[in-house]
Amino acid sequence: MNMGDNMISILMASYNGAGYVSAQIDSLLSQTCQNFKLYICDDMSTDDTYKILAEYQDKYPDKIFISQNSKNSGSAKFNFINLMINHKDDYLMLCDQDDVWLPDKIEITLAKMQELETLYGNSLPLLVHTDLKVVNENLETISESFVAAMNANYTKTKLRHQIIQNTLTGCTAMYNRALSDLITTNPPFMVMHDWWLMLVASAFGKIDSINNQTVLYRQHNLNEVGAKDVRTLEYKIRKVLNPQGIKQALNETYLQANSFKETFRSLLSDEQLEFLSCYCAIATRPKILKWISICRLRVFKNSLPRKIAQFLYI
């Protein structure tokens, strides 16, 4: 299926994915919408990943383009953000090396994106994302819905929602050129590339989501970030009993908020700058004043266990 003349760039960061990357690329080549080019940057893999990618590029020279970093970037987020900085197109999608895309992923995501552009115009930064099906290493279903397993709330799209908790799984995202044009430099600090993208979208544009599961989200022992079923009692207990992990995660949100403020200072409204300054200041305050600040700014974690942990260990 060809949906107009708009071109999509799919950005994949690869590293030691020899066991999975072929299945992912094959799922892209089986999409109902083929109006895309695939750009893959390999992060100095030590297995056969690059060899496999080169074979695909030889077979599809007009569709698949591979490059390799001169040295390992240290994390998938750095590999991805560089791809996002270097590639601009009408629409862009992020792609993990170890998932499998369901056949109509591009088609239904693009349809939603074009629906938003009809409403808001294509000069507004726009981001669309979807649900996922969580699977194991052999693509056997663990959870029919990532949103349900994570107790996620995709309706919370304001900056104050995203500053404390990311609700984007990058491999489901499509964003337009107007949003892409705001991703021009490596942030001084970011927790993850998809969280950074979500912050930009929430501050300057519109975000919408689709309930469909469009990706088989493969979980294995090499995942850098994965899915956890937050509905289980075990997860809730572990969350509340992990003060160091929670404190570190909260501190990283302050660092990222400050990084975001400094990167986009000239584009942010006075109200947004005031909000970010107040949020960053939470880190230096006594606990009682931290509680007051998060209530005043209304920056709450999603779900009761996360809120309890936030208030306990802030």
Side-chain angles (χ1 to χ4, degrees):
M1 178 175 179
N2 189 332
M3 299 184 70
D5 298 324
N6 298 110
M7 182 55 78
I8 301 160
S9 285
I10 299 176
L11 311 180
M12 180 193 291
S14 68
Y15 178 69
N16 286 358
Y20 309 113
V21 73
S22 292
Q24 175 63 298
I25 295 176
D26 289 343
S27 78
L28 301 183
L29 296 170
S30 300
Q31 289 290 302
T32 55
C33 173
Q34 284 291 310
N35 200 16
F36 69 85
K37 291 185 176 178
L38 173 61
Y39 296 93
I40 310 172
C41 184
D42 185 69
D43 212 8
M44 289 295 288
S45 290
T46 57
D47 64 3
D48 286 337
T49 300
Y50 194 74
K51 178 185 172 188
I52 294 167
L53 298 178
E55 289 170 356
Y56 273 98
Q57 182 178 244
D58 289 344
K59 194 172 179 183
Y60 302 94
D62 298 324
K63 197 163 196 73
I64 298 175
F65 305 87
I66 65 170
S67 60
Q68 191 169 46
N69 293 328
S70 57
K71 61 179 182 178
N72 183 270
S73 69
S75 171
K77 68 180 178 182
F78 298 123
N79 199 3
F80 266 116
I81 200 74
N82 285 325
L83 279 164
M84 293 159 70
I85 290 165
N86 293 326
H87 291 281
K88 307 298 174 187
D89 210 332
D90 296 322
Y91 309 110
L92 299 106
M93 302 180 81
L94 306 179
C95 181
D96 291 346
Q97 65 181 1
D98 47 3
D99 298 329
V100 169
W101 284 16
L102 297 178
D104 59 354
K105 179 186 192 303
I106 297 176
E107 181 183 338
I108 65 171
T109 310
L110 180 59
K112 172 60 80 171
M113 175 62 78
Q114 292 176 335
E115 185 185 307
L116 292 184
E117 288 190 331
T118 301
L119 277 174
Y120 301 112
N122 62 9
S123 61
L124 185 73
L126 298 170
L127 185 147
V128 174
H129 62 125
T130 76
D131 197 359
L132 315 87
K133 181 182 287 192
V134 185
V135 299
N136 67 13
E137 192 168 0
N138 300 314
L139 303 180
E140 297 163 337
T141 302
I142 296 172
S143 175
E144 287 290 340
S145 168
F146 174 84
V147 171
M150 294 295 289
N151 195 21
N153 186 343
Y154 284 1
T155 66
K156 294 191 171 183
T157 61
K158 291 183 168 55
L159 181 59
R160 67 178 175 85
H161 299 138
Q162 296 301 320
I163 207 74
I164 183 69
Q165 186 175 341
N166 181 30
T167 56
L168 174 65
T169 307
C171 62
T172 72
M174 174 184 280
Y175 57 103
N176 67 352
R177 188 183 295 273
L179 181 48
S180 176
D181 285 343
L182 293 170
I183 311 290
T184 59
T185 58
N186 260 292
F189 179 86
M190 64 176 172
V191 180
M192 283 300 289
H193 62 283
D194 54 0
W195 197 345
W196 187 259
L197 180 66
M198 198 65 156
L199 288 174
V200 179
S202 67
F204 304 114
K206 295 286 183 183
I207 299 161
D208 205 349
S209 58
I210 303 168
N211 291 330
N212 304 55
Q213 294 83 32
T214 65
V215 178
L216 301 182
Y217 190 38
R218 197 194 303 252
Q219 303 298 294
H220 53 83
N221 59 5
L222 298 178
N223 281 112
E224 193 159 329
V225 177
K228 305 166 187 70
D229 193 332
V230 304
R231 298 167 298 181
T232 64
L233 181 61
E234 179 193 3
Y235 174 87
K236 292 169 183 175
I237 292 170
R238 277 194 289 110
K239 197 71 179 171
V240 175
L241 297 181
N242 181 21
Q244 286 311 117
I246 293 161
K247 285 177 182 176
Q248 181 182 339
L250 287 169
N251 284 334
E252 286 179 347
T253 70
Y254 306 135
L255 292 171
Q256 183 169 248
N258 187 64
S259 174
F260 187 79
K261 182 182 69 165
E262 295 309 316
T263 299
F264 293 105
R265 179 178 287 277
S266 64
L267 298 177
L268 291 161
S269 68
D270 290 344
E271 184 182 353
Q272 289 172 325
L273 283 168
E274 173 70 14
F275 165 76
L276 290 167
S277 296
C278 291
Y279 184 75
C280 294
I282 293 173
T284 63
R285 293 185 169 164
K287 181 167 274 195
I288 186 67
L289 293 182
K290 288 180 177 180
W291 289 343
I292 293 169
S293 292
I294 63 173
C295 291
R296 185 171 63 84
L297 296 174
R298 293 181 298 150
V299 283
F300 305 111
K301 287 274 197 178
N302 185 41
S303 84
L304 185 59
R306 291 191 184 108
K307 283 188 181 79
I308 292 170
Q310 178 186 6
F311 273 84
L312 279 176
Y313 303 123
I314 193 169

